[in-house]
Amino acid sequence: MSSEAWFDEHYDAVYSYILMLVKDSHTAEDLSQETFMKVVRNEHQFKGDSLVKTWIFRIAYTTTMSYFRKMNPITYYFDLYAHSAKHEQSSEETVLLNSQQRQFYEALNQLKPSYRQVIILRKIQEFSTKDTSSILNWSEGKVKMSLSRALVAFKEELEKGGFTNETLIR
């Protein structure tokens, strides 16, 4: 399969993953494109030791982490705050971000980055423990332990936001 087919098959998942991390659609689009440029450039390096999707997500992860390392964190958070305060949502965005979804993502964003990463990869993107360990460059044991702790912390954040056990079960 070629990198063009990989793009068609995995772009949406990569974009949504990066969007959950950077919280800005333009930045997520840029980083997704950068990810796939790296995929095309390095297609010959894919050895088949893992799923193509796992390999692509590892590239997306490292591309996004490089982006964060290059940014001044204080500037990033001020820009994010200013963007969200000035940005008027379209009716489509309003529908997509209903109250529960907003609380879900706010709770997710309250978690430390490693917890957020493992929840996104294991529970939202549905990667296996092995694939998640490859993407994050962690041991499988660390993935399992981090996921366990992350889910407890995530549930606590959701409950702070008013979610009940009935809401969490759905």
Side-chain angles (χ1 to χ4, degrees):
M1 197 184 273
S2 72
S3 53
E4 184 177 320
W6 294 344
F7 177 87
D8 292 340
E9 187 173 341
H10 301 293
Y11 180 84
D12 291 340
V14 167
Y15 172 79
S16 67
Y17 167 66
I18 294 173
L19 181 61
M20 283 186 249
L21 298 175
V22 300
K23 303 168 203 82
D24 177 73
S25 60
H26 298 294
T27 303
E29 191 173 307
D30 290 346
L31 291 172
S32 297
Q33 289 174 2
E34 184 178 339
T35 296
F36 279 97
M37 288 186 332
K38 289 177 181 178
V39 166
V40 169
R41 262 194 316 265
N42 298 304
E43 179 180 5
H44 66 281
Q45 292 181 353
F46 177 67
K47 297 176 182 127
D49 296 341
S50 64
L51 296 173
V52 170
K53 184 176 180 183
T54 303
W55 182 70
I56 292 171
F57 266 73
R58 177 69 186 158
I59 295 170
Y61 170 78
T62 57
T63 301
T64 305
M65 293 303 106
S66 292
Y67 165 78
F68 282 127
R69 276 192 295 278
K70 289 176 189 173
M71 284 195 101
N72 179 341
I74 294 172
T75 304
Y76 173 73
Y77 287 112
F78 280 124
D79 288 348
L80 182 63
Y81 175 76
H83 175 74
S84 64
K86 293 178 183 175
H87 177 69
E88 290 188 31
Q89 290 183 330
S90 69
S91 58
E92 182 179 316
E93 287 174 319
T94 303
V95 168
L96 290 174
L97 292 176
N98 68 34
S99 177
Q100 284 189 339
Q101 287 174 320
R102 193 169 30 257
Q103 286 177 310
F104 176 87
Y105 287 108
E106 285 173 1
L108 189 61
N109 287 326
Q110 293 301 312
L111 300 177
K112 67 182 190 175
S114 61
Y115 285 2
R116 189 169 46 247
Q117 286 283 354
V118 76
I119 287 175
I120 291 170
L121 291 170
R122 287 284 291 123
K123 297 300 182 181
I124 297 173
Q125 293 293 334
E126 298 180 337
F127 278 100
S128 68
T129 300
K130 181 179 180 182
D131 290 339
T132 302
S133 73
S134 293
I135 292 167
L136 297 175
N137 201 24
W138 293 355
S139 70
E140 289 184 38
K142 181 175 180 178
V143 169
K144 290 175 185 176
M145 182 56 70
S146 294
L147 179 61
S148 174
R149 292 175 179 166
L151 290 173
V152 169
F154 186 53
K155 182 178 179 187
E156 289 171 1
E157 286 298 326
L158 286 171
E159 288 172 345
K160 283 182 197 174
F163 275 77
T164 63
N165 282 338
E166 293 79 32
T167 309
L168 293 174
I169 292 171
R170 285 194 299 175

